[in-house]
């Protein structure tokens, strides 16, 4: 994965976008100062015993970006492209995102530069436990609470919780979210990111009067988030015409069968051989590249893999009518400019993928209470949070004639600013002078 977002790295690009939106919104320098400087970042060498007896070292990061609104929160990514800049950008976006949906968290992120596909299951477990040993004084249920991200999953969260609990000699399920249900995970967490994105698309469809059966959708990145959003959309009658993963994608004009595509991917490791949806038998399913998928003529394009896939270089070739960011940071700021000029609306990541952290928050609340909620309860509370934040974003965008991203950021920044100001700012000291 590239960390370059046009001319600058992904963190500088995220900061540039933030300061542009904050300037336009008149956000004070006190708040911007806090948001331009990640609070603390830990880099560690993780020593792992490999199955052949040798020792290998991996670089692990954890960035606690800003905690004005509460303990920091953010996933852990295992990917060969992980860098310090990427982790910081992701931690900044987490800070904004938690504020956008109004949950009492600051932002954080972690990662390890590793290709997990090259590790055995035991090596992966040793790496996961080594990460927590290195970070154990940096994280905690009241301080910083990790979760899954790209190429980490609930099994890994379970190992990590176990390692932290054994270091503290006490069961600490609230230290990490996205755990297996049997270890204190929440019902509805696995599907939450996809469900949150689905709820946003439904809100969009209602406001724009989209006919669901005629609405075509392409999803780049058929992983946790991409699978669930495709599944929920298909269940509601949308036509999923393209899916992809890191090996490439499949396309069928009449629509694909999402559940069968998932089975094919689980069994073979790729999407080749995914069938068309029922009722569209005889339809040809052809293979496409990720670049082709991004340029498809569809109603809704969902990038759900990695950041910086739509840039100034390829934004001109986008033919989708709407872009829904399920990945973090898939559109760079220069890509945004081109899309804005071309009138293609972007539903921003800081709201569209916030379902994951929202149900992670619910999981943490349940862990602290020692009491679990039903799936219906989790889904209903998620719907309340996402639809309220969507309405708030939509109204502000309409009223101020700004992009949906700028509106969502402004709503989040306002909450962060209120907290920063309540903690005591320049005005307080001037009053007392
Ligand atoms: P995942 O590991 O479950 O899936 C990632 C998918 O992307 C895989 O199918 C992989 O094959 C595919 N992929 C990797 N590189 C690709 C490439 N170059 N082109 C196309 N596809 C590629 O990860 P996930 O948890 O679904 O995360 C996906 C995105 O959603 C990330 O940006 C992540 O930060 C974001 N996100 C995830 C969550 C969550 O709860 N899992 C929450 C918020 C945001």
């Amino acid at each position: 994965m590239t960390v370059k977002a046009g001319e600058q790295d992904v963190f500088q690009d995220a900061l540039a976008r933030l300061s542009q939106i904050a300037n336009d919104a008149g956000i004070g320098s006190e708040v911007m100062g806090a948001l331009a400087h990640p609070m603390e970042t830990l880099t560690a060498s993780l020593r792992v015993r490999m199955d052949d007896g040798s020792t290998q070292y991996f670089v692990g990061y954890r960035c606690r970006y800003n905690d004005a609104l509460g303990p920091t929160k953010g996933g852990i990514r295992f990917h060969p492209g992980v860098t310090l800049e990427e982790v910081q950008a992701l931690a900044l976006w987490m800070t904004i995102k938690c504020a956008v949906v109004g949950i009492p968290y600051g932002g954080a992120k972690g990662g390890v530069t590793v290709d997990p596909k090259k590790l055995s299951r035991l090596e992966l477990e040793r790496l996961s436990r080594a990460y927590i040993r290195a970070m154990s004084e940096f994280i905690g249920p009241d301080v910083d609470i990790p979760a899954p991200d790209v190429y980490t999953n609930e099994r890994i969260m379970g190992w990590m919780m176990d390692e932290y609990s054994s270091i503290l000699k006490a069961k600490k399920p609230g230290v990490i979210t996205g755990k297996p249900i049997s270890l204190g995970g929440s019902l509805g967490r696995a599907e939450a990111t996809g469900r949150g994105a689905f709820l946003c698309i439904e809100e969009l469809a209602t406001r724009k009067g989209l006919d669901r059966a005629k609405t075509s959708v392409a999803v780049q990145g058929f992983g946790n988030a991409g699978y669930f959003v495709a599944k929920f959309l298909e269940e509601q009658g949308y036509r999923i015409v393209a899916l992809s993963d890191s090996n490439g994608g499949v396309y069928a004009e009449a629509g694909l069968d999402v559940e069968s595509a998932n089975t094919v991917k689980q069994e073979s490791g790729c999407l080749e051989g995914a069938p068309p949806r029922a009722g569209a038998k005889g339809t040809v399913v052809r293979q496409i590249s990720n670049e082709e998928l991004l340029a498809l003529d569809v109603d809704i394009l969902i990038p759900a893999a990695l950041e910086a896939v739509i840039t100034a270089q390829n934004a001109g070739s986008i033919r989708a009518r709407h872009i829904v960011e399920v990945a973090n940071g898939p559109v760079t700021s220069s890509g945004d400019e081109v899309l804005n000029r071309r009138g293609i609306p972007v539903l921003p990541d800081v709201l569209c993928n916030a379902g994951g952290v929202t149900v992670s928050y619910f999981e943490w609340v349940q862990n602290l209470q020692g009491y679990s909620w039903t799936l219906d309860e989790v889904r209903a509370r998620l719907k309340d949070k996402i639809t309220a934040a969507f309405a708030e974003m939509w109204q502000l965008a309409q009223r101020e004639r700004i992009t949906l991203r700028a509106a969502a950021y402004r709503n989040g920044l306002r909450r962060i600013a209120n907290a920063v100001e309540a903690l005591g700012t320049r005005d307080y000291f001037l009053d007392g002078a």
Side-chain angles (χ1 to χ4, degrees), residues 7-223:
E7 295 305 306
Q8 48 193 352
D9 76 46
V10 68
F11 181 49
Q12 292 309 320
D13 194 56
L15 279 180
R17 169 185 276 159
L18 172 72
S19 64
Q20 172 78 54
I21 294 173
N23 280 341
D24 293 347
I27 299 292
S29 58
E30 198 89 12
V31 178
M32 281 314 293
L35 289 180
H37 300 97
M39 209 168 65
E40 48 185 1
T41 308
L42 182 60
T43 303
S45 297
L46 311 178
R47 193 165 69 104
V48 177
R49 178 76 62 199
M50 307 305 280
D51 290 347
D52 66 2
S54 67
T55 304
Q56 270 195 33
Y57 292 82
F58 301 90
V59 185
Y61 303 99
R62 186 79 192 160
C63 171
R64 299 187 61 231
Y65 200 94
N66 180 278
D67 67 350
L69 286 174
T72 52
K73 186 92 186 80
I76 300 170
R77 180 173 292 194
F78 284 0
H79 192 280
V82 166
T83 62
L84 176 61
E85 291 75 19
E86 183 190 56
V87 170
Q88 288 179 323
L90 289 162
L92 167 56
W93 292 327
M94 283 305 298
T95 308
I96 308 290
K97 188 185 308 179
C98 293
V100 168
V101 279
I103 56 179
Y105 283 143
K109 202 79 183 188
V112 178
T113 314
V114 60
D115 184 352
K117 293 177 188 167
K118 293 194 176 141
L119 300 186
S120 71
R121 291 175 81 148
L122 283 174
E123 288 166 347
L124 191 62
E125 176 169 351
R126 286 182 217 118
L127 175 67
S128 305
R129 290 181 182 276
Y131 182 85
I132 291 302
R133 282 197 299 280
M135 303 293 164
S136 63
E137 289 180 12
F138 207 65
I139 61 172
D142 305 321
V143 187
D144 178 36
I145 305 123
D149 192 72
V150 175
Y151 296 155
T152 53
N153 54 26
E154 61 174 43
R155 182 195 299 273
I156 292 176
M157 298 303 111
W159 291 330
M160 289 182 163
M161 188 275 282
D162 183 57
E163 189 65 26
Y164 185 80
S165 297
S166 51
I167 292 167
L168 264 72
K169 299 196 189 318
K171 285 288 176 198
K172 292 284 176 189
V175 71
I176 205 157
T177 57
K179 301 178 293 292
I181 304 289
S182 55
L183 296 178
S186 175
L187 294 170
R189 174 60 184 90
E191 66 173 37
T193 304
R195 181 167 280 277
F198 161 71
L199 291 168
C200 288
I201 294 169
E202 282 283 273
E203 292 295 309
L204 175 80
T206 304
R207 283 171 174 79
K208 290 240 174 154
L210 299 183
D211 176 348
R212 289 160 179 80
K214 289 190 183 144
T215 303
S216 56
V217 182
V219 182
Q220 184 202 38
F222 195 54

Side-chain angles (χ1 to χ4, degrees), residues 254-255 276-284:
R277 66 175 171 171
K281 298 262 183 301
T283 304
V284 178

